[in-house]
Amino acid sequence: MSSDAPLSPVPLYQGIRIESAELRIVSLPLLTPFVISSGTMTAKTLPLLVLKGEGIEGVAEAVMDPAPDYLEETIAGAMTFLREVLLPQIVGKRFASPYDLQPVLSPWRGNRMAKAVVEMAFWDLWAKSLGLPLQAALGGTGDHVDVGVSLGIAPVETTLERVGAALEQGYKRTKLKIAQGHDVRIVEAVRTEYPDIKLTVDANTDYGLADLPVLQMLDDFGLDYIEQPLAHDDIHDHAKVQRSLRTAICLDESIRSASDARKALETGAARVINIKVGRVGGFAEARAIHDTCAAFGVPVWCGGMLESGIGRAHNIHLATLANFTKPGDTSSASRYFERDITNEALEAHNGEMPVPRQGPGIGVTLDRAYLATVTDHAEEVTA
Ligand code: OSB
Ligand code: MG
């Protein structure tokens, strides 16, 4: 049947005009200092970005530290780059999807953590505008993700207590931070007490090729993987070490992009990859790394940077993608903070972290009253 009535045109999707950006620095005290080979954290300081448009807010946090100890970026550098370069290029403009941000972000070198916070906040805004959970916009499924704990460097006795507590709570994998002189002894103690648990170590770049004998000693403990033993910017030498080990190497710091992942997997530098969306420049790159690894038959897992509930929510949604087959680092926020900046508590039960679903997008909301009390600095970028 045809009708004589003219077809009514489908309204064109206009995208989202970003009206303004709220940029903060937030400081949350840590319940216990977190010690890794490259430094000790007693508080989590994070840049928080809220993008506003179409009456909706998209939120994300950035993962760089005050000092360049994990990777090169710093909070001070990122704040300048965001305030003076990236945010003025997007505020007052309209974007139909997160991919339309790439022409603004990709011309600039590096600074993937600063780019990520912009891209991630827009994904939240976009998913909310479509009425979708972030997970669905990304292509993930399921109502929870499997998680383990990351335990900072501590004396053997303390470590054994912490491992015991994590296992009692049902966490699905235990990751021990190691450093030169704090490696074989601690792994041996944990392995002796817990012969069958899923155990990994993370060196945060503390070793060099000359330390191969130590890494070969770690090879005897049935570890699921050894994370980032060598330099942050070195894929090549990881390939050499991987050839001399039975245990898989997992790369974290060394993987900034899908092209890094391809190079690492082609050269055999790793057999597992840790994806942190905040490290690699956002969800577009995180998904590209995920897909590259899947094509190589290599599993990935979702790392963490002691994020507040905002960053944790982003991580959980990402980790529902199919190739995140190993337990991630997004454990309960209450392990780190007395109080979080989200209204919703992100708590794992039996090693399963529920996907937050308080509305569309990231599924958690800012506790504005508490946020105000933990904000060190706030500014607004308007068109
Ligand atoms: O290498 O994964 C890392 C924390 C700070 C810097 C680097 C790392 C970490 C963690 C913490 O391991 C994981 C978490 O968020 O619980
Ligand atoms: Mg790591």
Side-chain angles (χ1 to χ4, degrees), residues 70 175 177 202 204 227-228 252-253 274 276 301 329:
Y70 165 77
K175 166 166 126 181
K177 292 290 187 180
D202 186 356
N204 290 108
E227 187 175 342
Q228 195 70 40
D252 172 352
E253 284 90 332
N274 165 342
K276 293 176 181 167
W301 57 277
D329 265 349

CSV table of all heavy atoms in Angstrom, one decimal, residues 70 175 177 202 204 227-228 252-253 274 276 301 329, ligand 2:
chain,number,residue,atom,x,y,z
A,70,TYR,N,54.8,6.9,37.5
A,70,TYR,CA,54.3,5.7,36.8
A,70,TYR,C,54.5,5.8,35.3
A,70,TYR,O,55.2,4.9,34.7
A,70,TYR,CB,52.8,5.5,37.1
A,70,TYR,CG,52.0,4.5,36.3
A,70,TYR,CD1,52.1,3.2,36.4
A,70,TYR,CD2,51.2,5.0,35.2
A,70,TYR,CE1,51.4,2.3,35.6
A,70,TYR,CE2,50.5,4.1,34.4
A,70,TYR,CZ,50.6,2.8,34.6
A,70,TYR,OH,49.9,1.9,33.8
A,175,LYS,N,47.5,-10.1,43.3
A,175,LYS,CA,48.7,-9.6,42.6
A,175,LYS,C,49.6,-8.9,43.7
A,175,LYS,O,49.1,-8.1,44.5
A,175,LYS,CB,48.2,-8.5,41.6
A,175,LYS,CG,49.3,-7.6,41.1
A,175,LYS,CD,48.8,-6.8,39.8
A,175,LYS,CE,49.0,-5.3,40.0
A,175,LYS,NZ,48.5,-4.6,38.8
A,177,LYS,N,52.8,-6.7,44.5
A,177,LYS,CA,53.8,-5.7,44.0
A,177,LYS,C,55.2,-6.2,44.4
A,177,LYS,O,55.4,-6.6,45.6
A,177,LYS,CB,53.6,-4.3,44.5
A,177,LYS,CG,52.3,-3.7,44.0
A,177,LYS,CD,52.4,-3.3,42.6
A,177,LYS,CE,51.2,-2.6,42.1
A,177,LYS,NZ,51.3,-2.2,40.7
A,202,ASP,N,53.7,-7.8,40.0
A,202,ASP,CA,53.9,-6.6,39.2
A,202,ASP,C,55.1,-5.8,39.7
A,202,ASP,O,55.2,-5.3,40.8
A,202,ASP,CB,52.6,-5.7,39.4
A,202,ASP,CG,52.6,-4.5,38.5
A,202,ASP,OD1,53.6,-4.3,37.7
A,202,ASP,OD2,51.6,-3.8,38.5
A,204,ASN,N,56.4,-3.0,38.1
A,204,ASN,CA,56.4,-1.6,37.8
A,204,ASN,C,57.7,-1.1,37.3
A,204,ASN,O,58.3,-0.1,37.8
A,204,ASN,CB,55.8,-0.7,38.9
A,204,ASN,CG,54.3,-0.9,39.1
A,204,ASN,OD1,53.9,-1.5,40.1
A,204,ASN,ND2,53.5,-0.4,38.2
A,227,GLU,N,54.1,-9.0,35.7
A,227,GLU,CA,53.6,-7.8,35.0
A,227,GLU,C,54.8,-6.8,35.0
A,227,GLU,O,55.5,-6.5,36.0
A,227,GLU,CB,52.5,-7.2,35.8
A,227,GLU,CG,51.8,-6.0,35.2
A,227,GLU,CD,50.5,-5.5,35.9
A,227,GLU,OE1,50.0,-6.3,36.7
A,227,GLU,OE2,50.1,-4.4,35.8
A,228,GLN,N,55.0,-6.2,33.8
A,228,GLN,CA,55.9,-5.1,33.5
A,228,GLN,C,57.2,-5.2,34.3
A,228,GLN,O,57.6,-4.3,35.1
A,228,GLN,CB,55.2,-3.8,33.8
A,228,GLN,CG,56.0,-2.6,33.3
A,228,GLN,CD,55.9,-2.4,31.7
A,228,GLN,OE1,54.9,-2.7,31.1
A,228,GLN,NE2,57.0,-2.1,31.1
A,252,ASP,N,52.0,-3.6,31.0
A,252,ASP,CA,51.1,-2.5,31.5
A,252,ASP,C,51.7,-1.2,30.9
A,252,ASP,O,51.2,-0.7,29.9
A,252,ASP,CB,51.1,-2.6,33.0
A,252,ASP,CG,50.3,-1.4,33.7
A,252,ASP,OD1,50.0,-0.4,33.0
A,252,ASP,OD2,50.1,-1.4,34.9
A,253,GLU,N,52.7,-0.6,31.6
A,253,GLU,CA,53.2,0.7,31.2
A,253,GLU,C,53.6,0.8,29.8
A,253,GLU,O,53.5,1.9,29.1
A,253,GLU,CB,54.5,1.0,32.1
A,253,GLU,CG,54.2,1.5,33.5
A,253,GLU,CD,54.1,0.3,34.5
A,253,GLU,OE1,53.8,-0.8,34.1
A,253,GLU,OE2,54.4,0.6,35.7
A,274,ASN,N,47.5,-5.8,30.1
A,274,ASN,CA,46.7,-5.0,31.1
A,274,ASN,C,46.3,-3.7,30.4
A,274,ASN,O,47.1,-2.9,29.9
A,274,ASN,CB,47.6,-4.7,32.3
A,274,ASN,CG,47.1,-3.6,33.2
A,274,ASN,OD1,46.2,-2.8,32.9
A,274,ASN,ND2,47.7,-3.5,34.4
A,276,LYS,N,44.4,-0.2,30.7
A,276,LYS,CA,43.8,0.8,31.5
A,276,LYS,C,43.3,1.9,30.6
A,276,LYS,O,44.1,2.5,29.9
A,276,LYS,CB,44.9,1.4,32.5
A,276,LYS,CG,45.4,0.5,33.5
A,276,LYS,CD,46.6,1.0,34.3
A,276,LYS,CE,47.1,0.0,35.4
A,276,LYS,NZ,48.4,0.5,36.0
A,301,TRP,N,43.1,-7.9,30.7
A,301,TRP,CA,42.4,-7.7,31.9
A,301,TRP,C,42.5,-6.2,32.2
A,301,TRP,O,43.3,-5.5,31.6
A,301,TRP,CB,42.9,-8.5,33.1
A,301,TRP,CG,44.4,-8.3,33.4
A,301,TRP,CD1,45.4,-9.0,32.8
A,301,TRP,CD2,45.0,-7.5,34.4
A,301,TRP,NE1,46.6,-8.6,33.3
A,301,TRP,CE2,46.4,-7.7,34.3
A,301,TRP,CE3,44.5,-6.6,35.3
A,301,TRP,CZ2,47.3,-7.0,35.2
A,301,TRP,CZ3,45.3,-5.9,36.2
A,301,TRP,CH2,46.7,-6.1,36.1
A,329,ASP,N,41.7,-5.4,38.3
A,329,ASP,CA,42.2,-4.8,39.5
A,329,ASP,C,41.1,-4.0,40.2
A,329,ASP,O,41.4,-3.3,41.2
A,329,ASP,CB,43.4,-3.9,39.2
A,329,ASP,CG,44.7,-4.7,39.5
A,329,ASP,OD1,44.7,-5.8,40.0
A,329,ASP,OD2,45.7,-4.1,39.1
B,2,MG,MG,50.9,-2.6,36.6
